[in-house]
Amino acid sequence: MKKLFTSESVTEGHPDKLCDYISDSVLDECLKQDKNSRVACETVAGKGEITITGEITTKANINIEQIARDAIKEIGYDNENLDIDYRTCKIHLNISKQSPDIALGVDKSLEDKLGNEVLSEGAGDQGIMFGFACDETKNYMPLPIHLAHSIAKRLTDVRKNNILNYLRPDGKTQVTIEYNDNKPIRVDTIVVSTQHTEDISLEILRKDIINEVIKKVVPEELLDENTKYYINPTGRFVIGGPLGDSGLTGRKIIVDTYGGYSRHGGGAFSGKDPTKVDRSAAYMARFIAKNIVANGFAKRCEIQFSYAIGVAKPVSIYVDTFGTGTISDEEIVNLIYKNFELTPRGIIKYLDLQTPIYTKTTNYGHFGKPELPWEKIIELK
């Protein structure tokens, strides 16, 4: 049976991703000086203004305003008439420390307080987290989101390397894949909307995007004469970034994960230190799901963890291999319990999450990048 599935990505200059990047930059600077920093940093971007708020408890001595300006500069925003200028934009700070009520549960878990086990940190919040992997691509990601990210990243690369020097930082991509019996067979539709300077014609832009962006990263065998291309379908995209649309940390959670191909627990990642299980447990769930597939236990695997605030161990673990498992889903759950400590402390230690790696995650997905610790492949027994 044939069906279509679509995923989207955005460039690092998208207003929401600008905010994610500033928040993760603040987090990394805190962790460089104090690995035990507690950070929940939120950024809002609007016309000519950036507001950074949230709760930060750290021994680090950081200049948040300068971190933000450096991040905006790195992305490439330097024109207040088209988007935002790192030199002239206003930056507002509204930072407090972590709530003592939350710290009560995070500093010492419920299990410790009851005297049952020495587990130290409890989960920083209640919530559910999903991890997913499949064998559609070499990085065990679904093909639609993998290609959407590849096109978005290529948009940035051709801009920063002056291959297409008329591009500006803001942009979005979308890829529709045709499946036959749950196997991807071709690209049906590609949508690219990219910010540009006013002096470039739409005809040249569309030709360049197809030849220098799409065809450089999408495998030729997936494209055919029926593949549809929509390049800047509105006809004009000069005003972009926070001047064209406001931005907010944590608003691209589907882009950050699996492009809608797998379920999502609802928690965002950027700006949060690893005691927040929204982030760390989602990374661990991806790590385990990927290794279930890489070790041949399934072709597709989705894992759900749930946590209660102040409690160290997950409340529940759920596994679904969608009928592709070589062993039962119950056996996989037992395999997880046998091989992994899923307390916040256990996850942080196993994946080495107190290191400043988070700006590497911000753009083009938090998963599927081989350099990240939750993407390594191990032998499972």
Side-chain angles (χ1 to χ4, degrees):
M1 182 180 71
K2 292 185 178 181
K3 57 184 179 181
L4 302 176
F5 191 87
T6 303
S7 293
E8 73 161 348
S9 182
V10 297
T11 65
E12 61 190 53
H14 186 281
D16 294 333
K17 276 293 149 199
L18 168 65
C19 293
D20 284 345
Y21 194 68
I22 291 171
S23 295
D24 275 336
S25 296
V26 171
L27 171 61
D28 274 356
E29 287 300 319
C30 288
L31 291 175
K32 284 177 185 177
Q33 299 180 43
D34 177 9
K35 69 176 185 178
N36 294 311
S37 297
R38 298 277 174 81
V39 180
C41 181
E42 308 280 348
T43 303
V44 182
K47 179 183 177 181
E49 296 188 2
I50 300 290
T51 299
I52 303 169
T53 187
E55 300 79 45
I56 299 177
T57 304
T58 183
K59 296 177 182 177
N61 182 16
I62 61 172
N63 184 334
I64 295 178
E65 178 179 340
Q66 191 58 51
I67 292 169
R69 292 194 189 278
D70 289 346
I72 299 166
K73 180 182 179 181
E74 184 179 345
I75 288 170
Y77 277 131
D78 57 6
N79 189 328
E80 63 183 6
N81 297 315
L82 298 180
D83 27 62
I84 196 168
D85 191 330
Y86 73 93
R87 294 161 295 199
T88 60
C89 65
K90 296 178 182 178
I91 295 182
H92 307 281
L93 304 181
N94 181 19
I95 304 294
S96 60
K97 292 186 176 182
Q98 184 179 62
S99 161
D101 293 344
I102 294 176
L104 280 174
V106 179
D107 293 338
K108 191 172 185 180
S109 69
L110 178 64
E111 291 94 330
D112 278 4
K113 292 172 186 175
L114 295 175
N116 298 332
E117 301 177 71
V118 181
L119 299 174
S120 191
E121 298 91 350
D125 200 356
Q126 71 175 50
I128 55 177
M129 303 87 207
F130 285 94
F132 181 79
C134 62
D135 63 357
E136 290 183 11
T137 58
K138 291 181 180 179
N139 62 1
Y140 297 92
M141 290 291 287
L143 184 60
I145 190 65
H146 171 72
L147 291 180
H149 285 326
S150 297
I151 295 171
K153 187 175 186 307
R154 178 66 181 172
L155 270 178
T156 296
D157 291 343
V158 297
R159 171 177 63 87
K160 288 188 169 181
N161 293 323
N162 286 318
I163 296 171
L164 301 180
N165 58 10
Y166 55 80
L167 295 183
R168 293 293 293 170
D170 200 355
K172 301 181 77 172
T173 66
Q174 187 172 288
V175 176
T176 301
I177 297 294
E178 181 179 321
Y179 285 80
N180 190 1
D181 293 331
N182 292 319
K183 293 182 179 180
I185 58 172
R186 59 179 292 273
V187 174
D188 182 81
T189 306
I190 295 175
V191 182
V192 176
S193 294
T194 180
Q195 187 189 7
H196 57 89
T197 57
E198 197 163 13
D199 56 354
I200 192 71
S201 73
L202 186 59
E203 180 183 3
I204 292 174
L205 182 144
R206 286 174 171 168
K207 180 181 177 181
D208 285 347
I209 295 301
I210 290 174
N211 292 327
E212 294 294 337
V213 177
I214 294 171
K215 291 188 175 181
K216 295 292 185 180
V217 295
V218 178
E220 185 179 356
E221 63 271 18
L222 292 175
L223 302 172
D224 59 34
E225 66 277 6
N226 295 316
T227 299
K228 298 179 285 294
Y229 302 94
Y230 296 104
I231 313 299
N232 280 24
T234 65
R236 176 183 168 89
F237 187 178
V238 173
I239 302 300
L243 186 59
D245 191 11
S246 62
L248 181 65
T249 297
R251 200 157 53 181
K252 285 290 175 282
I253 59 176
I254 301 302
V255 171
D256 286 344
T257 52
Y258 308 101
Y261 200 91
S262 172
R263 285 172 283 195
H264 196 293
F269 300 154
S270 290
K272 296 178 180 178
D273 75 83
T275 66
K276 280 74 170 174
V277 285
D278 273 345
R279 187 168 211 167
S280 55
Y283 290 168
M284 193 64 172
R286 160 64 181 178
F287 172 74
I288 296 172
K290 180 177 180 178
N291 277 283
I292 294 298
V293 177
N295 278 263
F297 293 115
K299 291 182 177 296
R300 298 168 65 198
C301 182
E302 183 179 72
I303 294 174
Q304 183 205 58
F305 297 145
S306 68
Y307 287 85
I309 187 169
V311 180
K313 291 184 176 181
V315 175
S316 67
I317 299 176
Y318 172 82
V319 170
D320 191 348
T321 56
F322 308 94
T324 69
T326 58
I327 61 175
S328 71
D329 293 349
E330 184 178 0
E331 288 176 287
I332 292 176
V333 172
N334 292 333
L335 195 68
I336 294 170
Y337 278 118
K338 175 184 174 183
N339 285 276
F340 304 103
E341 182 186 341
L342 299 175
T343 64
R345 176 199 280 178
I347 293 172
I348 289 167
K349 183 179 179 181
Y350 190 91
L351 296 178
D352 194 20
L353 295 182
Q354 289 181 310
T355 55
I357 58 172
Y358 295 100
T359 53
K360 296 178 182 178
T361 71
T362 313
N363 296 299
Y364 319 113
H366 289 242
F367 307 121
K369 300 172 180 175
E371 68 272 19
L372 298 174
W374 48 89
E375 293 297 321
K376 64 184 177 183
I377 294 175
I378 63 171
E379 184 179 0
L380 278 181
K381 295 180 180 179

